Amino acid sequence: MAIDATAQVHPSAIVEEGATIGARCVIGPFCHIGAEVTLGAEVELKSHAVVTGWTEIGDNSTVFSFACVGEVPQDLKFAGERTRLVVGKRARIREGATLNTGTDGGGGVTRVGDDCLLMTGAHVGHDAQVGDRVILANQAAIAGHCVIGDDVIVGGLSGIHQFVRVGHGAIIGAVTMVTNDVMPHGLVQAPRGDLEGLNLVGLKRRGVDRAEITALRAAYQMLAQGDGAFMDRARRLAAETESAHVRDITDFILAESGRSFLTPK
């Protein structure tokens, strides 16, 4: 066990032999930290938080009460293999959230990027790859093997089906079930996840140039209403566009995927 001398550990907390607790960490009452856990500098665990498994949490992160971080996958194929969970810096993991380690069949590592907010009851399943600055609202669930790009927002009570990719900058409305890939900057809502436009609010908040937003609007219309099949329209758009943001969309659509796409309306 390696506990930095500047860390504060409440007497009622359990820190198993082998854990690494970084500088200026604060471990609250009745927390449980497993033997293979590494906490970076200035990580805070509120009372009754559990961090277990082969888990790493980056600097300046906070794990709130009754969150469970690093437990084994909820996968019947899991056979006890040694797999990991890596959480980036400045994470905010709110009350009751759950994050699972990976599986051998899925690459062995579940990752959550920097500056993510996982609200009350949010779930990140085994082998999911979650980017930076992602927000999972209350009770949102990311299933196993999903890939969630940077700056994605998933609304409350929404679910992302296993193996689905959600491109960066997309937004998923509340109470939505997403079973197909979502293109970058997409706006998805309705109970079965309809792609209804672009995340214009998110683009503007991130300071995307107006010319790029105009190009994205035109690209969306072409994908929605152009001639030929959807994939043919995407290939034609890829060949014609000079916009970096549009290129992000076409590269995403034309990449290999285990799921079909939500297509524009």
Side-chain angles (χ1 to χ4, degrees), residues 7-244:
Q8 301 176 43
V9 180
H10 193 276
S12 65
I14 296 174
V15 181
E16 295 185 15
E17 189 69 33
T20 299
I21 310 299
R24 299 176 299 282
C25 286
V26 177
I27 311 302
F30 304 106
C31 292
H32 189 160
I33 299 174
E36 294 186 288
V37 169
T38 299
L39 303 183
E42 300 184 18
V43 173
E44 181 177 5
L45 271 57
K46 304 282 189 178
S47 65
H48 296 83
V50 173
V51 183
T52 187
W54 184 11
T55 296
E56 177 182 334
I57 299 180
D59 299 348
N60 301 110
S61 296
T62 304
V63 182
F64 287 76
S65 299
F66 303 104
C68 186
V69 179
E71 260 297 359
V72 298
Q74 298 174 60
D75 182 345
L76 293 175
K77 299 185 297 299
F78 181 71
E81 58 265 30
R82 188 167 178 264
T83 56
R84 299 178 64 198
L85 167 68
V86 178
V87 178
K89 298 177 181 179
R90 298 174 297 279
R92 287 168 288 171
I93 301 171
R94 295 302 306 241
E95 296 84 352
T98 56
L99 293 79
N100 295 158
T101 57
T103 65
D104 272 353
V109 182
T110 305
R111 294 187 186 275
V112 176
D114 296 338
D115 300 294
C116 291
L117 170 58
L118 281 58
M119 295 187 191
T120 302
H123 173 68
V124 177
H126 60 86
D127 306 294
Q129 307 296 305
V130 178
D132 298 336
R133 300 174 300 280
V134 170
I135 297 174
L136 304 183
N138 298 333
Q139 310 299 328
I142 307 298
H145 311 283
C146 288
V147 178
I148 311 297
D150 296 343
D151 300 299
V152 167
I153 298 174
V154 181
L157 296 169
S158 294
I160 312 296
H161 193 281
Q162 63 183 356
F163 293 102
V164 162
R165 298 179 302 146
V166 179
H168 65 266
I171 184 167
I172 311 299
V175 198
T176 298
M177 181 64 208
V178 180
T179 58
N180 300 103
D181 288 351
V182 178
M183 72 180 193
H185 313 297
L187 165 64
V188 175
Q189 53 190 358
R192 298 305 298 180
D194 295 330
L195 181 61
E196 297 191 350
L198 296 170
N199 182 15
L200 296 173
V201 172
L203 288 164
K204 292 173 182 176
R205 284 177 177 171
R206 290 191 295 276
V208 175
D209 184 77
R210 181 174 294 181
E212 284 288 313
I213 293 177
T214 299
L216 284 167
R217 286 178 181 270
Y220 186 89
Q221 289 303 314
M222 179 177 176
L223 290 170
Q225 300 174 358
D227 295 331
F230 176 72
M231 294 302 289
D232 292 335
R233 298 196 294 270
R235 293 186 188 97
R236 188 164 64 252
L237 183 60
E240 295 173 356
T241 188
E242 296 181 357
S243 164

